[in-house]
Amino acid sequence: MAEASRVLQTTLIPSFHPQHRSPIFQSLPLNFRRNPIQCTVSTSNSTKATVPQKIPWGCESDSLENASALQKWLTDSGLPPQKMALQKVEVGERGLVALKNIRKGEKLLFVPPSLFITADSEWTCGEAGKVLKQNGVPDWPFLATYLISEASSLESSRWSNYISALPRQPYSLLYWTREELDRYLEASQIRQRAIERVTNVVGTYNDLRLRIFSKYPALFPEEVFNIETFKWSFGILFSRLVRLPSLGGKVALVPWADMLNHSCEVDAFLDYDKSSQGVVFSTDVSYEPGEQVFISYGKKSNGELLLSYGFVPREGTNPRDSVELSLSISKSDKCYKEKLEALRKHGLSASQCYPIQVTGWPLELMAYAYLAVSPPSMSGQFEEMAAAASNKSTTKKDLRYSEIEEEALQFILDSCEVSISKYNKFLQASGSMDLDVTSPKQLNRRLFLKQLAVDLSTSERRILFRAQYILRRRLRDMRRGELRALTIFNGFRKFFK
């Protein structure tokens, strides 16, 4: 479905709305230039609009109509002969397929820097690029505007063949309406992540329109630079922008490399190779002619893959899958204000989300649970617990408070069961869910979105079921141990009587 070369750790538009995330969910840091544009406008009812209008450039996501033109242009522009060709595939609709035998450990691609799109790329409309640079626009909105400008330049842009081969509507939760997010992702925390992402994109566009576009209408006409085209360009960036560690973390769009699809079974990543002076990846499996070649988009959960790329791996196939569990300090807690103050000192709030995997959960989650159940007599440890609940802290996090460990585990179990009940409710209702559409095309779209939501909910509920089993077993063992100790104690007491 989605196609490849990916920023490995992007969640929201970087730096606009910094938030605490556990280590699994790192945001991609970008350096601001002077006088950076800030995102200040939140989404409104405009995010509840119907399906976006078609973008006037690009092609259908499964189309090969522009593939031959893209391959010819790339070859003419310096791409060396390839062992792969762009074809229709079962996984991803379009992908790169091996033309010859490919050995394990072999380097492929060799895309030269002259074919990268970066913040330093030359603009067809040089004056527009100059205005953005003078206003200190950060890399992400800068590149988003660049893509729209080049797309609207049509054949006069050197990137016209590349843009023509991009999907007209990238798979992304950016294209789900608010109604669809609320309806299909009601049980998953990814819903909130998607809303935050839409908020950032809409706010970014509104800031650019207010501060720059409205002042230079000849360079940035609204019929070209509008919210729909910005959703398209940000959808392209979220699903295709890659960070290149060997170039100091530089971000770039890399044509041809971004036609590779993701597999949870490989660990091959894109990077710049200084010896060959191009973007490459080394295969960690072998391929025979006709087999699709894959890379990894990073150690992402199924929810994150849906968020940026619009697909969900089959249940149980993603070893890095996780589900975000929401935990909250009760407002009826006698020490609510003291606990909230301790949390805020470390960048946390009364409600936090932590990732749970089949293999367990982070130490920060347990520390938060200790804080949530701790009695007033432990107020002296509130600061220590809050610090351990934050991944920004350098304090030793592996804390244990044996006197409240049972209560902390029960607190996590209760939170798991509340979340499981939400998934159960959605999955039970999904079979009879009224899609409320009249157009066959719209019906197909809704069915597709619903199936993605069912797949995500099933995989996330599976992780919660595993956590529920582990927690119940640990609590059972603890309580049996306490009962056994009490029985022994009563035996000794009777003996000495």
Side-chain angles (χ1 to χ4, degrees):
M1 294 181 184
E3 297 159 345
S5 172
R6 318 298 182 180
V7 176
L8 300 182
Q9 295 187 347
T10 297
T11 53
L12 302 178
I13 300 174
S15 303
F16 284 4
H17 289 286
Q19 295 185 351
H20 167 68
R21 293 280 182 197
S22 295
I24 288 180
F25 305 113
Q26 299 281 335
S27 290
L28 175 68
L30 294 180
N31 294 325
F32 272 47
R33 299 170 182 162
R34 62 183 179 85
N35 302 321
I37 291 177
Q38 298 295 320
C39 178
T40 57
V41 185
S42 63
T43 51
S44 64
N45 289 335
S46 62
T47 61
K48 299 182 181 181
T50 56
V51 182
Q53 297 178 357
K54 279 191 175 183
I55 296 298
W57 48 76
C59 62
E60 296 302 319
S61 58
D62 62 348
S63 173
L64 292 178
E65 60 182 327
N66 299 311
S68 59
L70 172 64
Q71 289 179 277
K72 183 180 185 304
W73 171 74
L74 288 167
T75 300
D76 294 343
S77 301
L79 184 73
Q82 299 288 302
K83 286 190 173 183
M84 302 172 292
L86 183 61
Q87 298 179 11
K88 285 189 177 183
V89 292
E90 291 184 3
V91 179
E93 298 186 344
R94 297 186 301 183
L96 297 186
V97 173
L99 296 175
K100 303 177 181 179
N101 286 315
I102 296 174
R103 303 184 310 275
K104 179 180 179 180
E106 188 170 350
K107 287 185 178 179
L108 300 174
L109 293 179
F110 303 99
V111 182
S114 60
L115 293 176
F116 300 175
I117 293 179
T118 70
D120 299 321
S121 295
E122 185 178 350
W123 290 61
T124 300
C125 178
E127 190 62 28
K130 183 179 178 181
V131 167
L132 293 188
K133 289 179 180 179
Q134 289 174 343
N135 282 273
V137 178
D139 283 354
W140 273 70
F142 186 92
L143 283 170
T145 309
Y146 177 81
L147 268 182
I148 298 169
S149 180
E150 294 303 304
S152 65
S153 297
L154 302 176
E155 297 299 324
S156 60
S157 170
R158 93 168 269 231
W159 305 108
S160 61
N161 286 302
Y162 171 60
I163 292 171
S164 295
L166 291 174
R168 186 174 289 118
Q169 181 172 313
Y171 285 112
S172 168
L173 291 185
L174 285 176
Y175 285 90
W176 292 38
T177 66
R178 180 59 182 270
E179 177 190 6
E180 289 163 350
L181 291 172
D182 291 344
R183 191 175 194 183
Y184 300 136
L185 297 179
E186 60 179 336
S188 177
Q189 291 298 320
I190 287 298
R191 169 186 166 276
Q192 185 58 38
R193 298 269 297 278
I195 292 171
E196 291 169 357
R197 178 167 290 189
V198 174
T199 299
N200 277 309
V201 170
V202 173
T204 299
Y205 165 71
N206 284 335
D207 272 346
L208 288 171
R209 180 174 54 83
L210 177 66
R211 303 187 187 192
I212 300 176
F213 298 166
S214 62
K215 296 178 181 178
Y216 302 91
L219 295 176
F220 306 102
E222 190 172 357
E223 60 268 23
V224 174
F225 297 87
N226 52 60
I227 188 58
E228 296 304 334
T229 57
F230 263 81
K231 282 187 178 181
W232 172 82
S233 61
F234 270 109
I236 295 296
L237 295 184
F238 278 123
S239 61
R240 292 168 179 271
L241 200 65
V242 64
R243 173 184 279 259
L244 302 171
S246 296
L247 290 181
K250 190 172 187 176
V251 292
L253 288 170
V254 186
W256 188 247
D258 63 2
M259 296 297 176
L260 285 159
N261 286 316
H262 169 82
S263 171
C264 298
E265 299 176 356
V266 303
D267 288 308
F269 296 96
L270 298 173
D271 197 6
Y272 182 77
D273 181 60
K274 294 181 180 178
S275 61
S276 58
Q277 297 186 336
V279 163
V280 304
F281 74 98
S282 297
T283 60
D284 55 356
V285 297
S286 60
Y287 296 96
E288 296 181 356
E291 289 186 322
Q292 185 178 180
V293 180
F294 295 100
I295 62 168
S296 171
Y297 295 175
K299 298 179 179 180
K300 297 180 180 293
S301 68
N302 286 1
E304 289 177 301
L305 291 170
L306 175 61
L307 182 64
S308 289
Y309 312 120
F311 71 92
V312 177
R314 293 191 310 275
E315 184 183 0
T317 62
N318 183 2
R320 288 100 175 194
D321 195 16
S322 64
V323 57
E324 290 192 2
L325 180 67
S326 179
L327 305 175
S328 298
I329 305 290
S330 173
K331 289 187 177 181
S332 61
D333 191 310
K334 294 180 180 179
C335 300
Y336 177 78
K337 290 184 179 179
E338 293 86 343
K339 292 179 180 180
L340 181 58
E341 182 180 356
L343 288 167
R344 285 177 174 170
K345 284 183 181 179
H346 296 278
L348 305 180
S349 64
S351 296
Q352 287 296 131
C353 289
Y354 292 94
I356 290 182
Q357 294 182 300
V358 170
T359 54
W361 48 82
L363 297 173
E364 292 91 344
L365 185 152
M366 193 67 196
Y368 187 97
Y370 280 134
L371 179 63
V373 302
S374 56
S377 60
M378 297 184 69
S379 59
Q381 282 80 45
F382 288 175
E383 181 75 22
E384 181 181 52
M385 294 174 186
S390 169
N391 66 355
K392 298 177 183 177
S393 172
T394 57
T395 309
K396 179 175 169 32
K397 298 176 183 178
D398 191 9
L399 303 176
R400 287 199 68 179
Y401 302 93
S402 56
E403 65 271 36
I404 58 171
E405 185 169 3
E406 181 180 335
E407 290 87 342
L409 292 174
Q410 184 64 54
F411 172 77
I412 299 173
L413 176 59
D414 291 343
S415 299
C416 277
E417 291 180 339
V418 168
S419 188
I420 287 171
S421 67
K422 293 179 181 178
Y423 285 103
N424 288 340
K425 180 181 177 182
F426 168 73
L427 290 170
Q428 289 168 4
S430 63
S432 59
M433 188 176 286
D434 182 10
L435 297 178
D436 191 27
V437 292
T438 55
S439 165
K441 188 172 183 179
Q442 180 73 342
L443 177 62
N444 289 337
R445 178 180 180 276
R446 288 284 178 90
L447 286 171
F448 177 65
L449 300 189
K450 189 180 81 166
Q451 187 58 55
L452 286 174
V454 168
D455 291 345
L456 178 66
S457 295
T458 302
S459 67
E460 291 188 336
R461 186 181 64 168
R462 171 178 170 268
I463 298 171
L464 290 170
F465 274 147
R466 176 63 178 170
Q468 180 190 53
Y469 169 77
I470 293 172
L471 288 162
R472 285 178 174 176
R473 188 176 65 181
R474 287 179 62 178
L475 285 166
R476 179 194 63 201
D477 292 345
M478 289 179 70
R479 288 161 184 167
R480 282 181 177 176
E482 291 171 0
L483 181 60
R484 189 178 302 112
L486 181 60
T487 301
I488 294 172
F489 174 76
N490 288 334
F492 273 117
R493 187 171 62 175
K494 290 179 181 178
F495 176 78
F496 284 108
K497 282 183 178 181

